[in-house]
Amino acid sequence: PVIYSISPTTGPLAGGTSVTIVGVNFTGAMTVKFGGSVATFTIIDPLQIVATSPSQAVTGPYDVSVTTTYGTFISHGAFSYT
């Protein structure tokens, strides 16, 4: 998989932000993570996932990763908790 964009790129520490992840090869996505925390998500199509940001304890940027049967792509510092 490859992540092209994430929107929005910020959200509260409590989590709950609906985040659209656009990219390719999202077929068979198994895991979406914000930092080390697993997010709930829905695969819209092979090009788009909508994930709900999980809560975090510390503000700042976090990596967003998508793991599929094809491997893992990490978008470094792509989502910031405020």
Side-chain angles (χ1 to χ4, degrees):
V2 175
I3 297 172
Y4 291 141
S5 67
I6 295 172
S7 179
T9 57
T10 62
L13 280 175
T17 303
S18 181
V19 178
T20 300
I21 303 170
V22 176
V24 294
N25 293 330
F26 291 157
T27 303
M30 301 179 340
T31 308
V32 175
K33 290 185 179 180
F34 287 63
S37 300
V38 176
T40 58
F41 65 94
T42 301
I43 301 169
I44 305 303
D45 57 45
L47 306 176
Q48 184 173 313
I49 295 171
V50 175
T52 301
S53 65
S55 63
Q56 298 290 351
V58 179
T59 60
Y62 284 76
D63 297 344
V64 175
S65 64
V66 173
T67 299
T68 70
T69 53
Y70 302 108
T72 300
F73 186 90
I74 300 171
S75 186
H76 297 284
F79 189 85
S80 290
Y81 284 86
T82 56

Coordinates of all heavy atoms in Angstrom, one line a residue:
P1 N 0.8 -1.2 0.0 CA 0.0 0.0 0.0 C 0.9 1.3 0.0 O 2.0 1.2 0.4 CB -0.8 -0.1 1.3 CG 0.1 -0.9 2.2 CD 0.8 -1.9 1.3
V2 N 0.3 2.3 -0.5 CA 1.0 3.6 -0.5 C -0.1 4.7 0.0 O -1.2 4.7 -0.5 CB 1.5 4.0 -1.8 CG1 2.1 5.4 -1.8 CG2 2.6 3.0 -2.3
I3 N 0.3 5.5 1.0 CA -0.6 6.6 1.4 C -0.1 7.9 0.6 O 1.0 8.3 0.7 CB -0.4 6.9 2.9 CG1 -0.9 5.6 3.7 CG2 -1.2 8.1 3.3 CD1 -0.6 5.7 5.2
Y4 N -1.1 8.5 0.0 CA -0.8 9.8 -0.7 C -1.2 11.0 0.1 O -0.5 12.0 0.1 CB -1.6 9.8 -2.0 CG -1.1 8.9 -3.1 CD1 -2.0 8.2 -3.9 CD2 0.2 8.6 -3.3 CE1 -1.6 7.3 -4.9 CE2 0.7 7.7 -4.2 CZ -0.2 7.1 -5.0 OH 0.2 6.2 -6.0
S5 N -2.4 10.9 0.8 CA -2.8 12.1 1.6 C -3.7 11.6 2.8 O -4.2 10.5 2.8 CB -3.6 13.1 0.8 OG -4.8 12.5 0.4
I6 N -3.7 12.5 3.8 CA -4.5 12.2 5.0 C -5.2 13.5 5.3 O -4.6 14.6 5.3 CB -3.6 11.8 6.2 CG1 -2.9 10.4 5.9 CG2 -4.4 11.8 7.5 CD1 -1.9 10.0 6.9
S7 N -6.5 13.5 5.6 CA -7.3 14.7 5.9 C -8.4 14.4 6.9 O -9.1 13.4 6.6 CB -7.8 15.2 4.6 OG -8.6 16.4 4.8
P8 N -8.5 15.1 7.9 CA -7.7 16.2 8.3 C -6.4 15.7 8.9 O -6.2 14.5 9.1 CB -8.5 16.9 9.4 CG -9.3 15.8 10.0 CD -9.6 14.9 8.9
T9 N -5.4 16.6 9.2 CA -4.1 16.1 9.7 C -4.0 16.4 11.2 O -2.9 16.2 11.8 CB -3.0 16.8 8.9 OG1 -3.2 18.2 9.1 CG2 -3.0 16.4 7.5
T10 N -5.0 16.9 11.9 CA -4.9 17.2 13.3 C -6.2 16.8 14.0 O -7.3 16.7 13.3 CB -4.7 18.7 13.6 OG1 -5.8 19.4 13.1 CG2 -3.4 19.2 13.0
G11 N -6.1 16.5 15.3 CA -7.3 16.1 16.1 C -7.0 16.2 17.5 O -5.8 16.2 17.9
P12 N -8.0 16.0 18.4 CA -7.8 16.1 19.8 C -7.2 14.8 20.4 O -7.3 13.7 19.8 CB -9.2 16.3 20.4 CG -10.1 15.7 19.4 CD -9.4 15.9 18.0
L13 N -6.5 14.9 21.6 CA -6.0 13.8 22.2 C -7.0 12.7 22.6 O -6.7 11.5 22.6 CB -5.3 14.2 23.6 CG -3.9 14.8 23.5 CD1 -3.5 15.3 24.9 CD2 -2.9 13.9 22.9
A14 N -8.2 13.1 22.7 CA -9.3 12.1 23.1 C -9.6 11.2 21.9 O -10.3 10.2 22.1 CB -10.6 12.9 23.5
G15 N -9.1 11.5 20.7 CA -9.4 10.7 19.5 C -10.8 11.0 19.0 O -11.4 12.0 19.3
G16 N -11.3 10.1 18.1 CA -12.6 10.3 17.6 C -12.7 11.1 16.3 O -13.8 11.3 15.8
T17 N -11.6 11.5 15.8 CA -11.6 12.3 14.5 C -11.7 11.3 13.3 O -11.0 10.4 13.2 CB -10.3 13.1 14.4 OG1 -10.2 14.0 15.5 CG2 -10.3 13.9 13.1
S18 N -12.7 11.6 12.4 CA -12.8 10.9 11.2 C -11.8 11.3 10.2 O -11.7 12.5 9.8 CB -14.2 11.1 10.6 OG -14.4 10.3 9.5
V19 N -10.9 10.4 9.8 CA -9.7 10.8 9.0 C -9.8 10.0 7.7 O -9.9 8.8 7.7 CB -8.4 10.4 9.7 CG1 -7.2 10.8 8.9 CG2 -8.3 11.2 11.1
T20 N -9.8 10.7 6.6 CA -9.8 10.1 5.3 C -8.3 9.8 4.8 O -7.5 10.8 4.8 CB -10.5 10.9 4.2 OG1 -11.9 11.1 4.7 CG2 -10.5 10.3 2.9
I21 N -8.0 8.6 4.5 CA -6.7 8.2 4.0 C -6.8 7.8 2.6 O -7.6 6.9 2.2 CB -6.1 7.1 4.8 CG1 -6.0 7.4 6.3 CG2 -4.7 6.7 4.3 CD1 -5.7 6.3 7.3
V22 N -6.1 8.5 1.7 CA -6.2 8.3 0.3 C -4.8 7.7 -0.2 O -3.8 8.2 0.2 CB -6.5 9.6 -0.5 CG1 -6.4 9.3 -2.0 CG2 -7.8 10.2 -0.1
G23 N -4.9 6.7 -1.0 CA -3.7 6.1 -1.5 C -4.0 5.0 -2.5 O -5.0 5.1 -3.2
V24 N -3.2 3.9 -2.6 CA -3.4 2.8 -3.5 C -3.2 1.5 -2.7 O -2.5 1.4 -1.7 CB -2.6 2.9 -4.7 CG1 -2.9 4.0 -5.6 CG2 -1.1 2.9 -4.4
N25 N -3.8 0.4 -3.3 CA -3.6 -0.9 -2.8 C -4.2 -1.1 -1.4 O -3.6 -1.8 -0.6 CB -2.2 -1.4 -2.9 CG -1.7 -1.5 -4.3 OD1 -2.4 -1.8 -5.2 ND2 -0.4 -1.3 -4.5
F26 N -5.3 -0.5 -1.1 CA -6.0 -0.7 0.2 C -6.9 -1.9 0.2 O -7.5 -2.1 1.2 CB -6.7 0.6 0.6 CG -5.9 1.8 0.9 CD1 -6.4 3.0 0.8 CD2 -4.6 1.6 1.3 CE1 -5.6 4.1 1.1 CE2 -3.8 2.7 1.6 CZ -4.3 4.0 1.5
T27 N -6.9 -2.7 -0.8 CA -7.6 -3.9 -0.8 C -7.1 -4.9 0.2 O -5.9 -5.1 0.3 CB -7.6 -4.6 -2.2 OG1 -8.1 -3.7 -3.1 CG2 -8.5 -5.9 -2.2
G28 N -7.9 -5.4 1.1 CA -7.5 -6.4 2.1 C -6.8 -5.7 3.2 O -6.0 -6.3 4.0
A29 N -7.0 -4.4 3.5 CA -6.4 -3.7 4.6 C -6.7 -4.4 5.9 O -7.9 -4.8 6.1 CB -6.8 -2.2 4.7
M30 N -5.7 -4.7 6.7 CA -6.0 -5.4 8.0 C -5.8 -4.5 9.2 O -6.5 -4.7 10.2 CB -5.0 -6.6 8.0 CG -5.2 -7.5 6.9 SD -4.0 -9.0 6.8 CE -2.7 -8.5 7.9
T31 N -4.9 -3.5 9.1 CA -4.6 -2.7 10.3 C -4.3 -1.2 9.8 O -3.6 -1.0 8.9 CB -3.4 -3.2 11.0 OG1 -3.6 -4.6 11.3 CG2 -3.2 -2.4 12.3
V32 N -4.9 -0.3 10.6 CA -4.5 1.1 10.5 C -4.1 1.6 11.8 O -4.8 1.3 12.8 CB -5.7 2.0 10.0 CG1 -5.4 3.5 10.0 CG2 -6.2 1.5 8.6
K33 N -2.9 2.2 11.9 CA -2.4 2.6 13.2 C -2.1 4.1 13.2 O -1.5 4.6 12.2 CB -1.2 1.8 13.6 CG -1.5 0.4 14.0 CD -0.2 -0.3 14.5 CE -0.4 -1.7 14.9 NZ 0.8 -2.3 15.3
F34 N -2.3 4.8 14.3 CA -1.8 6.1 14.6 C -0.8 6.0 15.7 O -1.1 5.6 16.8 CB -3.0 7.0 15.0 CG -3.9 7.4 14.0 CD1 -4.7 6.4 13.3 CD2 -4.1 8.7 13.6 CE1 -5.6 6.7 12.3 CE2 -5.0 9.0 12.6 CZ -5.7 8.1 11.9
G35 N 0.5 6.1 15.4 CA 1.5 5.8 16.3 C 1.4 4.3 16.5 O 1.3 3.5 15.5
G36 N 1.4 3.8 17.7 CA 1.3 2.4 18.0 C -0.1 1.9 18.3 O -0.4 0.8 18.6
S37 N -1.1 2.9 18.2 CA -2.5 2.6 18.6 C -3.3 2.2 17.3 O -3.3 2.9 16.3 CB -3.1 3.8 19.2 OG -2.4 4.2 20.4
V38 N -4.0 1.1 17.5 CA -4.8 0.6 16.4 C -6.1 1.5 16.3 O -6.8 1.8 17.3 CB -5.2 -0.9 16.6 CG1 -6.1 -1.4 15.5 CG2 -3.9 -1.7 16.6
A39 N -6.5 1.8 15.0 CA -7.7 2.6 14.8 C -8.8 1.7 14.2 O -8.5 0.7 13.5 CB -7.3 3.7 13.8
T40 N -10.0 2.1 14.4 CA -11.1 1.4 13.7 C -11.2 2.1 12.3 O -10.9 3.3 12.2 CB -12.4 1.6 14.5 OG1 -12.7 3.0 14.6 CG2 -12.4 0.9 15.8
F41 N -11.6 1.4 11.3 CA -11.6 1.9 10.0 C -12.6 1.2 9.1 O -13.0 0.1 9.4 CB -10.2 1.9 9.3 CG -9.7 0.5 9.1 CD1 -9.8 -0.2 7.9 CD2 -9.0 -0.2 10.1 CE1 -9.4 -1.4 7.7 CE2 -8.6 -1.5 9.9 CZ -8.7 -2.1 8.7
T42 N -12.9 1.8 8.0 CA -13.7 1.3 6.9 C -13.0 1.4 5.6 O -12.5 2.5 5.3 CB -15.1 2.0 6.9 OG1 -15.7 1.9 8.1 CG2 -16.0 1.4 5.8
I43 N -12.9 0.4 4.8 CA -12.3 0.5 3.5 C -13.5 0.9 2.6 O -14.5 0.2 2.4 CB -11.8 -0.9 3.0 CG1 -10.7 -1.4 4.0 CG2 -11.2 -0.8 1.6 CD1 -10.3 -2.8 3.7
I44 N -13.3 2.1 2.0 CA -14.3 2.7 1.1 C -14.1 2.0 -0.3 O -15.1 1.6 -0.9 CB -14.2 4.2 1.0 CG1 -14.3 4.9 2.3 CG2 -15.2 4.8 0.0 CD1 -15.5 4.5 3.1
D45 N -12.9 2.0 -0.8 CA -12.5 1.3 -2.0 C -11.0 1.1 -2.0 O -10.4 1.5 -1.0 CB -13.0 2.1 -3.2 CG -12.5 3.5 -3.3 OD1 -11.3 3.7 -3.1 OD2 -13.3 4.4 -3.6
P46 N -10.4 0.5 -3.0 CA -8.9 0.3 -3.0 C -8.1 1.5 -2.9 O -6.9 1.5 -2.7 CB -8.7 -0.5 -4.3 CG -10.0 -1.1 -4.6 CD -11.0 -0.1 -4.2
L47 N -8.7 2.7 -3.0 CA -8.0 4.0 -3.0 C -8.3 4.8 -1.7 O -7.7 5.9 -1.5 CB -8.3 4.8 -4.2 CG -8.2 4.1 -5.6 CD1 -8.6 5.0 -6.7 CD2 -6.7 3.7 -5.8
Q48 N -9.2 4.4 -0.9 CA -9.6 5.2 0.2 C -10.1 4.4 1.5 O -10.8 3.5 1.3 CB -10.8 6.1 -0.2 CG -11.2 7.2 0.8 CD -12.3 8.1 0.2 OE1 -12.1 8.6 -0.9 NE2 -13.3 8.3 0.9
I49 N -9.6 4.9 2.6 CA -10.0 4.4 3.9 C -10.5 5.5 4.8 O -9.9 6.6 4.7 CB -8.8 3.7 4.6 CG1 -8.3 2.5 3.8 CG2 -9.1 3.3 6.1 CD1 -7.0 1.9 4.4
V50 N -11.5 5.3 5.6 CA -11.9 6.3 6.6 C -11.6 5.6 7.9 O -12.2 4.6 8.2 CB -13.4 6.7 6.4 CG1 -13.8 7.6 7.6 CG2 -13.6 7.4 5.1
A51 N -10.7 6.3 8.7 CA -10.3 5.7 10.0 C -10.8 6.7 11.1 O -10.9 7.9 10.9 CB -8.8 5.5 10.1
T52 N -11.0 6.2 12.3 CA -11.3 7.0 13.5 C -10.0 7.1 14.3 O -9.5 6.0 14.7 CB -12.4 6.5 14.3 OG1 -13.6 6.4 13.4 CG2 -12.8 7.3 15.5
S53 N -9.5 8.3 14.5 CA -8.3 8.4 15.3 C -8.5 7.9 16.7 O -9.4 8.2 17.4 CB -7.8 9.8 15.3 OG -8.7 10.7 16.0
P54 N -7.5 7.0 17.2 CA -7.6 6.5 18.6 C -7.1 7.6 19.5 O -6.4 8.6 19.1 CB -6.7 5.3 18.6 CG -5.7 5.6 17.5 CD -6.5 6.4 16.4
S55 N -7.4 7.5 20.8 CA -6.9 8.5 21.8 C -5.4 8.3 22.0 O -4.8 7.2 21.8 CB -7.6 8.3 23.1 OG -7.4 7.1 23.7
Q56 N -4.7 9.3 22.4 CA -3.3 9.3 22.7 C -3.1 10.1 24.0 O -3.9 10.8 24.4 CB -2.5 10.0 21.6 CG -2.6 9.3 20.2 CD -1.9 7.9 20.2 OE1 -1.2 7.5 21.1 NE2 -2.1 7.2 19.1
A57 N -1.9 9.8 24.6 CA -1.6 10.5 25.9 C -0.8 11.7 25.8 O -0.8 12.6 26.7 CB -0.9 9.5 26.8
V58 N -0.1 11.9 24.7 CA 0.8 13.0 24.5 C 0.5 13.7 23.2 O 0.3 13.1 22.2 CB 2.3 12.5 24.5 CG1 3.3 13.7 24.3 CG2 2.6 11.8 25.8
T59 N 0.6 15.1 23.2 CA 0.4 15.8 22.0 C 1.6 15.7 21.1 O 2.6 15.3 21.5 CB 0.1 17.3 22.3 OG1 1.3 17.9 22.9 CG2 -1.1 17.6 23.1
G60 N 1.4 16.0 19.8 CA 2.5 16.0 18.8 C 2.1 15.2 17.6 O 1.1 14.6 17.5
P61 N 3.1 15.1 16.7 CA 2.9 14.3 15.4 C 3.0 12.8 15.7 O 3.9 12.4 16.5 CB 3.9 14.9 14.5 CG 5.0 15.4 15.4 CD 4.3 15.8 16.6
Y62 N 2.2 12.1 15.0 CA 2.3 10.6 15.0 C 2.3 10.0 13.6 O 1.7 10.6 12.7 CB 1.0 10.0 15.8 CG 1.1 10.2 17.3 CD1 0.8 11.4 17.9 CD2 1.4 9.1 18.1 CE1 0.9 11.5 19.2 CE2 1.4 9.2 19.5 CZ 1.2 10.5 20.0 OH 1.2 10.6 21.4
D63 N 3.0 8.9 13.5 CA 3.0 8.2 12.2 C 1.6 7.6 12.0 O 1.0 7.2 12.9 CB 4.1 7.1 12.2 CG 5.5 7.6 12.3 OD1 5.7 8.8 12.1 OD2 6.4 6.8 12.6
V64 N 1.2 7.5 10.7 CA 0.0 6.8 10.4 C 0.5 5.7 9.5 O 1.2 5.9 8.5 CB -1.0 7.7 9.7 CG1 -2.2 6.9 9.2 CG2 -1.5 8.8 10.6
S65 N 0.0 4.4 9.8 CA 0.4 3.3 9.0 C -0.8 2.5 8.5 O -1.8 2.4 9.2 CB 1.4 2.4 9.7 OG 0.8 1.8 10.8
V66 N -0.6 1.9 7.3 CA -1.7 1.0 6.8 C -0.9 -0.3 6.5 O 0.1 -0.3 5.8 CB -2.3 1.6 5.5 CG1 -3.2 0.6 4.9 CG2 -3.1 2.9 5.9
T67 N -1.4 -1.4 7.0 CA -0.9 -2.7 6.8 C -1.9 -3.5 6.0 O -3.1 -3.6 6.4 CB -0.5 -3.4 8.1 OG1 0.5 -2.7 8.8 CG2 0.0 -4.8 7.8
T68 N -1.5 -4.0 4.9 CA -2.4 -4.9 4.1 C -1.7 -6.2 3.8 O -0.6 -6.4 4.3 CB -2.8 -4.2 2.7 OG1 -1.6 -4.2 1.9 CG2 -3.3 -2.8 2.9
T69 N -2.3 -7.0 3.0 CA -1.7 -8.2 2.6 C -0.5 -8.0 1.7 O 0.4 -8.9 1.5 CB -2.7 -9.1 1.8 OG1 -3.2 -8.4 0.7 CG2 -3.8 -9.6 2.7
Y70 N -0.3 -6.7 1.2 CA 0.8 -6.3 0.4 C 2.0 -5.8 1.2 O 3.1 -5.7 0.6 CB 0.4 -5.2 -0.6 CG -0.7 -5.6 -1.5 CD1 -2.0 -5.1 -1.4 CD2 -0.5 -6.6 -2.5 CE1 -3.0 -5.5 -2.2 CE2 -1.6 -7.0 -3.4 CZ -2.8 -6.4 -3.2 OH -3.8 -6.8 -4.0
G71 N 1.8 -5.5 2.5 CA 2.9 -5.0 3.3 C 2.4 -3.8 4.1 O 1.2 -3.6 4.3
T72 N 3.3 -3.0 4.6 CA 3.0 -1.8 5.4 C 3.6 -0.6 4.8 O 4.7 -0.6 4.4 CB 3.6 -2.0 6.9 OG1 3.0 -3.2 7.4 CG2 3.3 -0.8 7.7
F73 N 2.8 0.5 4.9 CA 3.3 1.8 4.5 C 3.1 2.7 5.7 O 2.1 2.8 6.3 CB 2.5 2.4 3.3 CG 3.1 3.7 2.7 CD1 4.0 3.7 1.8 CD2 2.7 4.9 3.3 CE1 4.6 4.8 1.3 CE2 3.2 6.1 2.8 CZ 4.2 6.1 1.8
I74 N 4.2 3.5 6.0 CA 4.1 4.4 7.1 C 4.3 5.8 6.6 O 5.2 6.1 5.9 CB 5.3 4.1 8.1 CG1 5.1 2.7 8.6 CG2 5.3 5.1 9.2 CD1 6.3 2.2 9.5
S75 N 3.3 6.7 6.9 CA 3.4 8.1 6.6 C 3.9 8.8 7.9 O 3.1 9.0 8.9 CB 2.0 8.6 6.2 OG 2.1 9.9 5.8
H76 N 5.1 9.1 7.9 CA 5.8 9.7 9.1 C 5.3 11.0 9.6 O 5.2 12.0 8.7 CB 7.3 9.7 9.0 CG 7.9 8.4 8.7 ND1 8.1 7.4 9.8 CD2 8.3 7.7 7.6 CE1 8.6 6.3 9.3 NE2 8.7 6.5 8.0
G77 N 4.8 11.1 10.8 CA 4.4 12.4 11.4 C 3.2 13.0 10.7 O 3.0 14.2 10.7
A78 N 2.3 12.1 10.1 CA 1.2 12.6 9.3 C 0.0 13.2 10.0 O -0.8 13.9 9.5 CB 0.8 11.5 8.3
F79 N -0.2 12.8 11.3 CA -1.3 13.2 12.1 C -0.8 13.8 13.4 O -0.1 13.1 14.1 CB -2.3 12.1 12.3 CG -3.6 12.5 12.9 CD1 -4.6 13.0 12.1 CD2 -3.8 12.4 14.2 CE1 -5.9 13.4 12.6 CE2 -5.0 12.9 14.8 CZ -6.1 13.3 14.0
S80 N -1.3 15.0 13.7 CA -0.9 15.6 15.0 C -2.0 15.7 15.9 O -3.1 16.1 15.6 CB -0.3 17.0 14.7 OG 0.9 17.0 14.0
Y81 N -1.7 15.3 17.2 CA -2.7 15.4 18.2 C -2.5 16.7 19.0 O -1.3 17.1 19.2 CB -2.6 14.2 19.2 CG -3.1 13.0 18.7 CD1 -2.4 12.1 17.9 CD2 -4.5 12.6 19.0 CE1 -2.9 10.9 17.4 CE2 -5.0 11.4 18.5 CZ -4.2 10.6 17.7 OH -4.8 9.4 17.3
T82 N -3.6 17.5 19.2 CA -3.5 18.8 19.9 C -4.2 18.8 21.2 O -4.9 17.9 21.5 CB -4.1 19.9 19.0 OG1 -5.4 19.5 18.7 CG2 -3.3 20.0 17.7

